[in-house]
Amino acid sequence: LAKTTQPISMDSYEGQEVNITCSHNNIATNDYITWYQQFPSQGPRFIIQGYKTKVTNEVASLFIPADRKSSTLSLPRVSLSDTAVYYCLVGDAKLNYGGSQGNLIFGKGTKLSVKP
Amino acid sequence: NAGVTQTPKFQVLKTGQSMTLQCAQDMNHEYMSWYRQDPGMGLRLIHYSVGAGITDQGEVPNGYNVSRSTTEDFPLRLLSAAPSQTSVYFCASSYLPSGYEQYFGPGTRLTVT
């Protein structure tokens, strides 16, 4: 599985756009990039997943350059409720039966603090 | 749908005791997994299962056993609790084709004294 590197923490203010970048230099051809959000005392929540270029949903956008060695999670106009830890994961999204792809690795994530 | 449920929410054990953390999902997901999360740390995968009767080890499997007799349930057993197993435990599930889009339970906070 490709190792990911992301900033330990970030600060922002309400109403700003926040971009969190994840580095994954050893990403494989079959790997997808997935982001999760975790609030204190809760389990992580899936935010977005992508393979290349740009993916957008109602919560966030995910930008992936052509070489796919990094990705950027973009949160538009954050609010205090977006204060959370954000995890970047890279791996084969189609888990094969009994395959090693079942071994999903979360790093320490990026702690985003949104201030008023 | 209740999603992924975990019981108990809190548990205190003495060193050497054994117990089972329960996890159930009602979404007919093939893939289920257990993670532990220590303070200030990310999640570490303990065990996972890609279907009934099939389990495999994750990153930190020592001291834990799992079984998957049904699609819905995936219990985690602590054989002989140790203080190093004090942690928050999360269970998750997903459709196999969806891979990384996992649904997490609310967690069990375990303290071993």
Side-chain angles (χ1 to χ4, degrees):
Chain A
L1 290 170
K3 181 180 176 182
T4 60
T5 302
Q6 42 182 135
I8 294 174
S9 64
M10 294 182 68
D11 291 331
S12 182
Y13 290 93
E14 281 191 294
Q16 289 187 332
E17 178 185 72
V18 171
N19 296 309
I20 305 174
T21 297
C22 179
S23 172
H24 29 80
N25 291 321
N26 297 322
I27 191 168
T29 303
N30 292 336
D31 286 346
Y32 279 68
I33 299 153
T34 310
W35 286 81
Y36 280 82
Q37 174 191 57
Q38 185 180 27
F39 298 113
S41 302
Q42 294 186 26
R45 181 175 74 103
F46 172 87
I47 301 176
I48 197 166
Q49 184 178 80
Y51 184 81
K52 62 180 178 180
T53 62
K54 177 183 174 182
V55 179
T56 298
N57 61 23
E58 65 278 5
V59 176
S61 294
L62 179 60
F63 298 92
I64 305 167
D67 66 6
R68 303 199 328 121
K69 293 184 183 298
S70 67
S71 59
T72 299
L73 175 72
S74 181
L75 305 173
R77 286 196 283 276
V78 294
S79 65
L80 295 176
S81 63
D82 292 314
T83 293
V85 178
Y86 293 83
Y87 297 97
C88 166
L89 283 75
V90 172
D92 190 335
K94 299 195 187 309
L95 296 171
N96 292 324
Y97 217 78
S100 62
Q101 290 87 345
N103 208 340
L104 305 180
I105 306 295
F106 282 75
K108 294 185 180 181
T110 297
K111 185 173 183 179
L112 173 64
S113 298
V114 180
K115 303 173 183 177
Chain B
N1 286 349
V4 179
T5 58
Q6 293 183 235
T7 56
K9 289 187 177 179
F10 302 94
Q11 183 70 50
V12 178
L13 290 178
K14 294 186 186 304
T15 297
Q17 288 185 317
S18 63
M19 80 158 295
T20 299
L21 307 185
Q22 301 292 342
C23 174
Q25 52 90 10
D26 61 359
M27 298 172 282
N28 203 31
H29 285 169
E30 302 96 332
Y31 181 87
M32 295 186 73
S33 57
W34 277 100
Y35 293 86
R36 61 175 289 174
Q37 185 171 37
D38 301 314
M41 302 287 288
L43 286 82
R44 292 186 290 171
L45 182 67
I46 304 172
H47 285 285
Y48 67 95
S49 168
V50 295
I54 303 172
T55 63
D56 205 347
Q57 297 181 349
E59 191 182 356
V60 288
N62 293 339
Y64 307 94
N65 272 358
V66 292
S67 60
R68 184 95 179 270
S69 56
T70 67
T71 300
E72 295 78 19
D73 301 299
F74 191 43
L76 178 72
R77 297 184 192 83
L78 279 70
L79 308 172
S80 177
S84 61
Q85 294 179 304
T86 293
S87 189
V88 180
Y89 291 84
F90 291 102
C91 178
S93 73
S94 73
Y95 286 115
L96 269 178
S98 297
Y100 283 39
E101 186 173 350
Q102 293 196 78
Y103 296 80
F104 282 79
T108 294
R109 186 174 296 273
L110 176 68
T111 302
V112 183
T113 61

